[in-house]
Amino acid sequence: MSGFNANFMWGGAVAAHQLEGGWQEGGKGVSVADVMTAGAHGVAREITDGVLPGKNYPNHEAIDFYHRYKEDIRLFAEMGFKCFRTSIAWTRIFPLGDEAQPNEAGLKFYDDLFDECLKYGIEPVITLSHFEMPYHLVTEYGGWRNRKLIDFFVRFAKVVFTRYQHKVKYWMTFNEINNQANFHEDFAPFTNSGLKYQPGEDREPVMYQAAHYELVASALAVKAARDINPSLQIGCMIAMCPVYPLTCAPDDMMMAMNAMHRRYWFTDVHVRGKYPQHILNYFARREFDLDITEEDRVALSEGCVDYIGFSYYMSFATKATDDNPQLDYDESKSLVSNPYVQKSDWGWQIDPVGLRYSLNWFWDHYQLPLFIVENGFGAIDVQQPDGTVDDSYRIEYLAAHIREMKKAVEEDGVDLMGYTPWGCIDLVSAGTGEMKKRYGFIYVDKNNDGSGTLARRPKKSFAWYQQVIKSNGESL
Ligand code: P53
């Protein structure tokens, strides 16, 4: 038993659009996150045609990190963060996405932000595309259904790799690239890929085409990073929700296997540089006519990632049904409730053991270093009249997950680089646009309707996580 190594990367994770605000400052362009209204559990966020008057767009101000980042990073430093995962808002660097030259004011903002982190010895970990691509690329090009997006993304990647190579070592290309496996809903296709579908359009091949262009763009970015500075480490970012069979009936097991195929082939391409045969056979069976060229195949094989970043919040369960003889997994209708686990107020299945399982699954498949770049408990926190928040349920959730992560490292021998819990400071929920779905160690006084002073205040979990880091995961 060895425990976590001495340079284990404890920290926290956020994404630019969910906390920065300042949506029009420093020359920033409109992103896909800027045209999404606030929803709620069971109420989808509305994707509007541009920014419309009278609508509530929670990401426009978010928690105003754009102006308050010094105060927030000081609090992260107080907790003892070794690293801080955020994203670079593409629209601060290329406001429209298709410009030839980057926006200096945007580049300067991230220079200052990274300097502020480094001042405290906090290493920035950066996602290039986290649900915030330029909206102009949606209206002018149809989002990632268009091959031209590859060049725009690679240009963006090269600019930021070059600019920040001495400040940022760890990068990831596309956040939760596999969320779009759930293509029947409007959310993931839009946030992942800027896809808007025509009524009646066959969505599935469009999703595979968009994902293919993203995978090629990711591979070309990895290759570019190595040319710019071989010390840069570029990872992928996968939303890991392991899919269990509801029973041990063989068909349920095959259904779960197919589900894993359909959700995680993206990882195979990122890591091994080629498509797994099962998905190629599926494309052939469904007669999808995808634009995948020989040049693309070469690019994929030359741009394999250095590590696997992933989020883990919950596990899924599935079962075979009579009306599905091929046992095809369709995320919008193949999921069932797991009777053995509890659920959050937003219906997310709480399953710490699933994290140990996921770590082993990734390690067994790929033998690449792993990085848990998101994990956390979205809950309604109540601030007491004296300003304190007792979020013991969050401490319990995180401690249970860290215990399982420890077993994966100590008992199972998984190579784990670090752990950055999601929403280390309260921020706008991606899925619902709410403020009230909180994840933070730091409470932010802001409400769903946009009211609040934006004041920051550590919760009970703040001191707890400080001890976790200080003891390198021993004191839980
Ligand atoms: P929210 C679905 C399933 C798993 C992770 O999510 C997901 C989603 C999308 O909602 O997103 C990731 O805010 C994502 C973050 C997001 C976080 O999980 O809906 O990378 O941007 O905020 C939590 O509760």
Side-chain angles (χ1 to χ4, degrees):
M1 298 235 183
S2 51
F4 299 113
N5 56 35
N7 52 7
F8 190 78
M9 292 169 77
W10 296 100
V14 301
H17 72 283
Q18 288 171 261
L19 89 168
E20 284 180 4
W23 73 293
Q24 290 180 303
E25 304 223 18
K28 180 182 167 299
V30 177
S31 81
V32 293
D34 293 322
V35 300
M36 296 179 74
T37 66
H41 181 35
V43 183
R45 302 182 71 173
E46 190 189 344
I47 299 165
T48 56
D49 283 327
V51 174
L52 305 180
K55 298 272 185 189
N56 176 10
Y57 296 104
N59 301 72
H60 286 188
E61 180 190 58
I63 62 158
D64 195 33
F65 181 79
Y66 187 77
H67 296 108
R68 294 165 196 247
Y69 69 87
K70 291 191 177 168
E71 177 188 352
D72 295 340
I73 289 165
R74 193 180 54 70
L75 288 167
F76 299 155
E78 203 180 315
M79 269 188 280
F81 279 21
K82 315 276 187 219
C83 70
F84 172 54
R85 173 180 178 235
T86 186
S87 58
I88 293 178
W90 189 343
T91 50
R92 291 202 188 280
I93 313 303
F94 289 98
L96 297 175
D98 58 359
E99 299 92 335
Q101 294 305 322
N103 170 35
E104 178 53 33
L107 288 166
K108 172 81 170 56
F109 171 69
Y110 291 104
D111 260 323
D112 295 346
L113 173 61
F114 300 155
D115 287 343
E116 195 65 21
C117 293
L118 295 169
K119 183 171 119 187
Y120 297 103
I122 298 175
E123 184 153 6
V125 174
I126 299 302
T127 319
L128 290 173
S129 183
H130 191 135
F131 305 171
E132 57 208 355
M133 60 184 281
Y135 183 60
H136 174 77
L137 298 182
V138 176
T139 54
E140 289 304 304
Y141 299 89
W144 280 94
R145 66 173 80 215
N146 192 325
R147 181 178 274 279
K148 290 195 180 115
L149 276 267
I150 297 175
D151 289 344
F152 301 144
F153 177 83
V154 173
R155 183 182 304 162
F156 162 55
K158 283 181 178 164
V159 164
V160 295
F161 290 152
T162 306
R163 175 86 168 213
Y164 306 121
Q165 57 178 306
H166 303 298
K167 298 183 183 180
V168 180
K169 176 175 176 189
Y170 294 100
W171 301 80
M172 280 165 275
T173 53
F174 290 91
N175 186 64
E176 295 189 333
I177 189 168
N178 61 320
N179 267 358
Q180 53 197 327
N182 191 358
F183 54 87
H184 283 299
E185 287 171 10
D186 292 335
F187 175 79
F190 189 65
T191 53
N192 272 133
S193 303
L195 296 179
K196 288 180 117 174
Y197 289 107
Q198 299 305 315
E201 185 174 10
D202 184 3
R203 291 177 166 223
E204 197 172 2
V206 180
M207 178 275 283
Y208 283 115
Q209 188 63 69
H212 172 71
Y213 292 147
E214 286 163 4
L215 289 162
V216 171
S218 172
L220 291 171
V222 170
K223 215 170 157 230
R226 290 191 183 127
D227 290 343
I228 291 164
N229 187 333
S231 75
L232 301 182
Q233 295 285 301
I234 319 292
C236 57
M237 194 328 198
I238 303 292
M240 180 39 118
C241 306
V243 189
Y244 301 166
L246 182 65
T247 76
C248 48
D251 275 357
D252 282 359
M253 188 61 217
M254 288 312 288
M255 187 71 191
M257 185 192 78
N258 286 341
M260 293 300 280
H261 279 169
R262 219 48 69 66
R263 277 188 62 86
Y264 302 107
W265 64 271
F266 302 82
T267 328
D268 292 18
V269 180
H270 271 308
V271 173
R272 302 191 178 121
K274 61 179 184 158
Y275 280 79
Q277 195 59 44
H278 65 76
I279 202 81
L280 294 173
N281 290 0
Y282 179 68
F283 295 164
R285 164 153 73 86
R286 298 296 308 277
E287 296 176 6
F288 293 152
D289 182 21
L290 302 177
D291 169 31
I292 300 177
T293 67
E294 193 44 41
E295 215 184 343
D296 293 348
R297 289 196 188 90
V298 172
L300 291 176
S301 72
E302 292 178 351
C304 298
V305 293
D306 298 306
Y307 67 96
I308 298 171
F310 72 95
S311 64
Y312 179 81
Y313 293 89
M314 61 191 140
S315 58
F316 287 164
T318 191
K319 74 183 182 65
T321 52
D322 291 341
D323 61 355
N324 182 15
Q326 301 261 29
L327 302 177
D328 275 328
Y329 173 78
D330 173 344
E331 196 143 309
S332 63
K333 52 183 194 219
S334 302
L335 295 178
V336 294
S337 177
N338 177 344
Y340 301 99
V341 302
Q342 305 282 313
K343 295 186 183 65
S344 80
D345 289 341
W346 278 264
W348 289 19
Q349 301 192 151
I350 303 164
D351 176 13
V353 175
L355 176 57
R356 180 179 180 183
Y357 174 72
S358 298
L359 284 161
N360 275 279
W361 188 89
F362 275 128
W363 182 244
D364 289 349
H365 277 78
Y366 305 113
Q367 290 88 42
L368 269 194
L370 303 173
F371 197 162
I372 302 168
V373 296
E374 289 184 29
N375 172 235
F377 190 54
I380 297 169
D381 292 337
V382 180
Q383 197 175 29
Q384 299 305 318
D386 67 355
T388 59
V389 174
D390 180 349
D391 57 343
S392 300
Y393 37 86
R394 179 166 297 108
I395 294 174
E396 217 173 282
Y397 176 101
L398 293 170
H401 284 76
I402 294 171
R403 270 185 212 108
E404 295 301 323
M405 148 178 136
K406 232 168 142 201
K407 289 182 202 163
V409 171
E410 294 180 350
E411 298 181 32
D412 309 330
V414 164
D415 182 0
L416 182 62
M417 298 160 61
Y419 178 69
T420 56
W422 176 252
C424 46
I425 181 167
D426 290 346
L427 39 60
V428 177
S429 156
T432 70
E434 294 168 293
M435 271 308 298
K436 94 171 184 206
K437 189 180 186 189
R438 297 174 185 274
Y439 287 86
F441 302 115
I442 300 164
Y443 189 87
V444 177
D445 179 23
K446 178 152 185 194
N447 306 306
N448 277 359
D449 63 6
S451 64
T453 63
L454 292 167
R456 275 67 164 152
R457 171 92 191 229
K459 303 178 195 173
K460 186 177 178 187
S461 56
F462 183 99
W464 171 81
Y465 193 48
Q466 193 176 44
Q467 281 310 309
V468 173
I469 298 178
K470 205 168 155 204
S471 65
N472 200 19
E474 290 303 317
S475 160
L476 295 172

